[in-house]
Structure formats: structure tokens, C-alpha cells
Amino acid sequence: MSSAQRKREAYGLLNRQWQALIAGERDPLANLAQFCALVFQSVPGLNWAGFYLRQDKTLVLGPFQGRVACTRIDIGRGVCGTCAATMQVQIVPDVHAFPGHIACDSASNSELVLPLVIDGRVVGVLDLDSPLHGRFDAQDAQGLAAMLQTLIQGTRWQPWIFGAGR
């Protein structure tokens, strides 16, 4: 994914693969898990890809691919918590320069976090980590945001994600 055009094309293809993968499957847990596996295997330069799901004022570890991770993150804390609090994509070229960064894996040097917004509520975040400094850019965010929309539209979230304490 070297040039901007090639990166856009690669994410377009990946989203089409994602659409085919979840066609007919509406279960949230299965779709979240498959999303992580596809992204982790297909996007170069990652050492972690996964979801944190909101429970009250905390993000709780959900399906992921990679090494063991932090289990709970307070909303507003670290890159993931900041994303959940602001509902804004976080592109962090150097996590060591991010105030309050939570180091779940010392091998991670850059991070991209996107909010998972359903019916106007942040119900979680997609977190991607890389050992490479400056690995993520706006095109990564746009490509993954399109894939998240496919996930949101192709999944039956009620009552799973809006259950007690969420």
C-alpha cells in the first residue's frame, strides 16, 4: 500500500472482501471477531487489531488479534478512551508522545483508533497498533471507516450491544 491511489484501491478491495465475508451473518460477536481477523491478516504493519466495547464509563476488551492486551480502559483515558470520549478518529504517529498513552504492548509505536458509533452512540472503538512509527494516515482511517460502516449495517446490534450497562 505504497501510493495513495494503491492504498485507496486496497481498502476498496478489502471492504468488498469484508462484505462477502459477512453476507448473511448478522451476529455481533461473530462479525466483530471476523473483522479483526481480516484486518489483522490483510493490513500490513500491524501488531494488534481489535475492539474495545463500551460498558458504562469503561471500554472493555472485545474480539481482537495480536498479543494479550489491556482489559479495561476508562473513557477519556489513553488513545482509545480519548476516541470514545470525543467520537473522533485518533491518528497517533508516535504513541510515546501522546499524553496519557496506555502502553499495553511496549512494541507498539503508532496507533489508529476509530469510534464505533451506532444510532448516534459510541458503543466501542476499533484499535489498531503498529510497531512502525507513523504507520497510519487519513487514508487508513477512511478505508477502515468504510469497513466499519459495512460492519454496522450488516450486523444485528439489538439487543446485544444495547444491553444492561452499555
Side-chain angles (χ1 to χ4, degrees), residues 15 18 35 115-117 144-154:
N15 196 23
W18 172 234
F35 189 99
L116 179 61
V117 180
L144 289 156
M147 292 179 67
L148 280 178
Q149 284 307 307
T150 300
L151 169 69
I152 290 166
Q153 294 167 1

Side-chain angles (χ1 to χ4, degrees), residues 60-114:
V60 178
L61 183 63
F64 73 94
Q65 296 280 308
R67 300 174 96 167
V68 296
C70 299
T71 304
R72 294 180 182 273
I73 299 171
D74 292 336
I75 301 293
R77 186 167 176 253
V79 182
C80 290
T82 299
C83 178
T86 63
M87 294 179 63
Q88 295 180 358
V89 172
Q90 302 292 308
I91 300 172
V92 182
D94 181 356
V95 296
H96 309 291
F98 188 91
H101 174 254
I102 302 166
C104 298
D105 180 354
S106 62
S108 295
N109 287 310
S110 63
E111 192 167 1
L112 171 62
V113 183
L114 294 92

